[in-house]
Amino acid sequence: MSKENKRRIRWFATVMSLSIMLSVVEPVGATTISDLEKQKQELEEKKKEADAKKKEEQQKYNSAAGKASSIQSQVDEVAGEIEEIDAALVETIASVEMIEEEIAEKEDQIEETKADLEEAKQIEREQYEAMKIRIQFMYEKGNTSYMELLLASENMADMLNKTEYVEKLYEYDRKLLEEYQAAREAVEMLQEKLEEEMAELEAQQHELMEEKASLEIMLNEKQKTYENYEVQLAKARQEAAIYKANIKRQNDEIKKLQAQAADKQSEIEKAKKAEEEARKARELALQREEEERRAKESGSTGSSSDSSSGSDSSSGSSSDSSSSSGSSSGGGYASASSYSGSGSKGQQIANYACQFIGNPYVPGGTSLTEGADCSGFVWRVYKDFGYSLPRTSYSLRNSGTGVSYSEAKPGDVVCYAGHVGIYIGNGQIVHASTQRTGIKITTATYKEILAVRRIV
């Protein structure tokens, strides 16, 4: 075989190998890379959508978590209020039971006092009748009997003794009668005192029963509110759990898309590398072909071969460029306003309240003229001055600002167990006391003070 034939065979083999290589590589470089870049772009778009969904779910979760936290605070607050009201209710029930026991004791004492009074009256009547009999025996027959008693005396000393005896007997009867009368009067005073105390206990019982009813209503309302908040809290927590699960799912989706995009990028880089190698192999084959042609042909065709080679190189550059481009008050009373010039606001309130002394006590009433109970009296007086206060004695204990009794000023509300009054100064209060006594002035320390509240 000649040298020329061997050279032609080598050239033919080289061209065939390049043709086979190009038939495998060129479709990857021209089609697959573009598809991969498109797929990568689609994955990136999906990732953006997943990020947006995650952000939306995160906002929903934050809102639900914040709502749950807010509701939890409300639940805790209501639970605290329920505990406080329940404690107050227990205290009030205990106070009612204690007052009921005191009322029973007072009733027993009143019955005993009535029996003692009847016994004292009976003894007084018996002593009076005995004294009348003795007086009748000694004096009713006239001076004769008395004179006979004196004339029958043996001597002056005997007569004086008899006279003195009569006088002492009379004095004894009179003194004994006075003692029985004093005992009867003492029992009557004790009975009156017990009846006043009884009336006061009954008024306290009424106030405490009102307070108990009010607390029970408040407790029921708070318990309903608590249960409603519990339902809302459970719902908010459920929503937060759903949003949290959605966020986790979005995170997993984003990680999956990121991994797929990274795999696509790796495939693109491998395809580009293979394309670059194919391009270089093609240029090398063309170069060898040109060398073989130059060696075979005359040197005159070298410039055109160079031009053709330069054109291929330019085409390769264009291909590279294209490949890389795929990679975005009522009447008769002064009104509250008429007291505006009489000292401080508290003094005005105290002065205004005092004009209703003597008016009746009416359970559940709020009229300063027709009748009010203790809390109704305080509520109405302050209402006439434009203040809105609670209606029960228990709630009044939490109104305004607490001060010590030593700091009390006219107009302050003085609170007791199941009772309230208005401080008027000099250690006294004006209050709707009992059905027996009505609205009156009483010493402020007549029983234990629980609180003094300053409203103005």
Side-chain angles (χ1 to χ4, degrees):
M1 184 180 294
S2 65
K3 185 177 181 181
E4 180 66 22
N5 290 335
K6 289 181 180 179
R7 188 177 62 194
R8 286 181 178 178
I9 291 171
R10 284 198 305 272
W11 179 84
F12 180 77
T14 302
V15 171
M16 289 299 294
S17 63
L18 283 173
S19 298
I20 294 170
M21 185 181 293
L22 289 174
S23 67
V24 175
V25 175
E26 282 183 0
V28 175
T31 304
T32 308
I33 291 177
S34 177
D35 290 342
L36 290 173
E37 287 179 343
K38 184 177 181 181
Q39 291 171 6
K40 179 189 173 185
Q41 187 175 2
E42 289 174 355
L43 289 171
E44 289 176 347
E45 290 295 329
K46 288 180 180 179
K47 180 179 174 296
K48 286 180 182 179
E49 291 175 3
D51 284 333
K53 287 181 180 179
K54 176 189 172 184
K55 185 177 180 181
E56 182 180 351
E57 294 295 328
Q58 185 68 51
Q59 289 175 346
K60 290 178 180 178
Y61 171 77
N62 293 340
S63 176
K67 184 179 178 181
S69 177
S70 175
I71 294 173
Q72 183 64 61
S73 299
Q74 292 172 321
V75 167
D76 294 340
E77 182 180 349
V78 173
E81 291 174 356
I82 288 174
E83 185 177 349
E84 181 181 344
I85 293 171
D86 189 54
L89 183 58
V90 170
E91 180 183 347
T92 301
I93 291 172
S95 298
V96 169
E97 291 175 353
M98 289 174 64
I99 284 182
E100 286 174 349
E101 290 176 2
E102 290 183 30
I103 287 174
E105 290 175 4
K106 290 294 178 188
E107 287 175 344
D108 293 340
Q109 291 175 9
I110 288 172
E111 289 301 318
E112 291 175 5
T113 304
K114 285 180 179 179
D116 293 342
L117 178 60
E118 189 59 36
E119 182 180 353
K121 288 180 178 179
Q122 181 63 30
I123 293 172
E124 179 189 3
R125 286 194 296 268
E126 291 174 357
Q127 178 61 25
Y128 178 67
E129 291 299 325
M131 187 178 71
K132 280 201 313 183
I133 291 170
R134 280 194 290 272
I135 291 173
Q136 182 179 4
F137 177 78
M138 294 176 62
Y139 302 111
E140 202 173 54
K141 294 181 180 181
N143 295 333
T144 302
S145 297
Y146 185 66
M147 288 299 295
E148 286 176 357
L149 179 65
L150 295 178
L151 291 173
S153 301
E154 297 178 359
N155 50 42
M156 182 61 69
D158 185 32
M159 182 182 69
L160 291 173
N161 286 335
K162 288 179 177 179
T163 303
E164 185 178 358
Y165 169 75
V166 171
E167 289 178 352
K168 284 183 177 180
L169 185 61
Y170 169 74
E171 182 64 25
Y172 170 77
D173 284 338
R174 185 181 63 79
K175 184 178 179 182
L176 195 61
L177 182 60
E178 287 177 352
E179 287 176 357
Y180 284 129
Q181 288 175 338
R184 176 180 57 77
E185 290 173 356
V187 174
E188 286 177 346
M189 290 177 63
L190 176 59
Q191 181 179 357
E192 184 177 357
K193 181 174 179 295
L194 289 173
E195 288 175 351
E196 287 182 357
E197 291 175 353
M198 182 70 169
E200 188 173 301
L201 287 172
E202 287 174 344
Q204 289 183 32
Q205 183 186 34
H206 158 72
E207 294 289 341
L208 286 169
M209 292 303 291
E210 271 197 347
E211 186 173 309
K212 177 175 174 288
S214 175
L215 287 171
E216 286 174 344
I217 291 171
M218 289 170 61
L219 185 61
N220 288 334
E221 289 176 351
K222 291 297 179 183
Q223 285 174 339
K224 288 179 182 177
T225 303
Y226 181 85
E227 291 169 0
N228 184 42
Y229 280 144
E230 282 288 317
V231 172
Q232 293 182 31
L233 180 61
K235 184 178 178 181
R237 284 176 174 171
Q238 184 179 10
E239 289 178 356
I242 292 171
Y243 295 141
K244 190 174 181 180
N246 290 342
I247 291 170
K248 184 179 182 302
R249 188 165 57 252
Q250 291 299 326
N251 279 332
D252 293 341
E253 181 69 16
I254 288 168
K255 288 179 182 178
K256 181 180 177 182
L257 291 170
Q258 285 176 334
Q260 290 176 350
D263 290 342
K264 290 297 177 186
Q265 182 62 36
S266 178
E267 290 179 22
I268 290 170
E269 289 174 356
K270 287 179 180 179
K272 284 183 176 180
K273 184 177 180 182
E275 183 186 56
E276 180 66 19
E277 289 175 353
R279 185 183 65 79
K280 288 180 178 179
R282 186 178 57 191
E283 288 180 353
L284 179 61
L286 291 174
Q287 185 178 358
R288 285 178 180 176
E289 183 182 358
E290 275 307 309
E291 288 176 353
E292 290 290 338
R293 204 164 5 187
R294 279 198 303 267
K296 181 180 177 182
E297 299 176 356
S298 64
S300 61
T301 60
S303 59
S304 65
S305 296
D306 290 340
S307 175
S308 174
S309 175
S311 175
D312 290 342
S313 176
S314 174
S315 174
S317 299
S318 174
S319 175
D320 289 344
S321 174
S322 173
S323 175
S324 63
S325 66
S327 10
S328 44
S329 304
Y333 295 95
S335 64
S337 60
S338 66
Y339 285 84
S340 60
S342 57
S344 66
K345 181 67 73 174
Q347 188 65 60
Q348 295 171 27
I349 290 171
N351 293 343
Y352 176 70
C354 285
Q355 69 175 327
F356 301 104
I357 292 170
N359 286 345
Y361 176 104
V362 174
T366 58
S367 172
L368 300 176
T369 55
E370 299 300 323
D373 57 21
C374 70
S375 56
F377 174 70
V378 174
W379 176 84
R380 183 66 198 196
V381 167
Y382 270 90
K383 184 176 185 296
D384 288 352
F385 280 84
Y387 295 91
S388 178
L389 294 185
R391 178 59 185 82
T392 65
S393 56
Y394 167 77
S395 298
L396 283 167
R397 272 191 262 169
N398 298 316
S399 299
T401 304
V403 297
S404 64
Y405 173 66
S406 61
E407 298 173 323
K409 294 181 180 180
D412 290 347
V413 177
V414 182
C415 304
Y416 309 89
H419 194 67
V420 289
I422 298 174
Y423 189 71
I424 60 174
N426 298 323
Q428 294 180 316
I429 61 168
V430 59
H431 62 138
S433 177
T434 67
Q435 286 180 290
R436 192 165 184 269
T437 58
I439 299 172
K440 68 174 188 176
I441 291 176
T442 303
T443 302
T445 55
Y446 81 107
K447 62 178 182 176
E448 183 184 0
I449 296 173
L450 298 182
V452 179
R453 309 300 297 186
R454 182 158 297 157
I455 310 301
V456 298

